[in-house]
Amino acid sequence: GESVGLHLPTLSVQEGDNSIINCAYSNSASDYFIWYKQESGKGPQFIIDIRSNMDKRQGQRVTVLLNKTVKHLSLQIAATQPGDSAVYFCADGRDQGAQKLVFGQGTRLTINP
Amino acid sequence: NAGVTQTPKFQVLKTGQSMTLQCAQDMNHEYMSWYRQDPGMGLRLIHYSVGAGITDQGEVPNGYNVSRSTTEDFPLRLLSAAPSQTSVYFCASSYLFGTDNEKLFFGSGTQLSVL
């Protein structure tokens, strides 16, 4: 069935290093993707989004890459900081006449000092 | 500008009880939705609404009712609580898809335990 999944449930990186979080999706009709960050005890917070007519989009210290050929999405965080420790979710905004976001299970990012 | 406000933050129910989780937004968003988040899982869509008087089912609608009488409010009703409904519930709102400004804003969540 259709799903949005992540390759790794946990990721640990050294402070100052770059982080890459990956996500796979199965619906080739998906045309909108979003990354969210969720800190403990809080609601998800928007990081960056990308439409299917783009393959790369950059924000502040974050870059999202979209590879439609292999249905893969990644979030790159540059120079990770302790405040980047959180669970990161990718979400698939499938345009099937309904506005629905389907979320993956999340990757927990831990920053080591 | 408070964003998305959810009440209560915590709730404990007994099996069979009913209750309403409240959600309000002050951003004039047309779209509102409810998600539940279980441990080790992503957020699953329960119900959503694209405007006042319009609601539709998400992935896991059974056991929940919603209504949208105003743009600002989108309450979620548990008809007869079951232990399987123990979860953290998030309300979210956004402008409609196609407006180039569709990112969802989430509330801080309601932690519900059903005994």
Side-chain angles (χ1 to χ4, degrees), chain B residues 39-93:
Chain B
M41 299 185 70
L43 295 97
R44 291 185 292 170
L45 182 64
I46 304 172
H47 285 286
Y48 65 99
S49 168
V50 296
I54 305 170
T55 63
D56 208 343
Q57 297 181 347
E59 302 171 73
V60 289
N62 292 339
Y64 307 96
N65 272 358
V66 291
S67 60
R68 185 92 179 271
S69 57
T70 67
T71 299
E72 295 79 18
D73 300 299
F74 192 44
L76 178 72
R77 297 182 186 85
L78 279 71
L79 308 173
S80 178
S84 61
Q85 293 179 305
T86 294
S87 189
V88 180
Y89 291 84
F90 288 100
C91 179
S93 71

Side-chain angles (χ1 to χ4, degrees), chain A residues 3 6 17-18 30 36-38 43-44 51-52 55 77 79 81 94 100-101 104-105 109:
Chain A
S3 67
L6 289 152
D17 287 352
N18 297 335
S30 299
Y36 281 87
K37 172 185 179 183
Q38 187 176 27
R51 298 190 182 281
S52 59
D55 53 20
I77 305 173
Q81 305 167 358
R94 299 167 185 173
K100 300 180 181 180
L101 280 182
Q105 292 188 354
L109 177 65

Side-chain angles (χ1 to χ4, degrees), chain A residues 32 34 36 38 41-46 49 51 89 93-95 97-106, chain B residues 31 35 37 40-43 45 48 50 57-59 90 94-97 100-104 106-108:
Chain A
Y32 180 59
I34 313 178
Y36 281 87
Q38 187 176 27
K42 297 184 179 179
Q45 180 181 10
F46 173 88
D49 58 1
R51 298 190 182 281
F89 293 97
R94 299 167 185 173
D95 185 7
Q99 185 162 338
K100 300 180 181 180
L101 280 182
V102 177
F103 284 79
Q105 292 188 354
Chain B
Y31 180 82
Y35 287 86
Q37 185 175 33
M41 299 185 70
L43 295 97
L45 182 64
Y48 65 99
V50 296
Q57 297 181 347
E59 302 171 73
F90 288 100
S94 74
Y95 294 110
L96 292 177
F97 275 11
D100 202 30
N101 191 14
E102 306 98 324
K103 63 182 184 183
L104 273 178
F106 282 83
S108 56

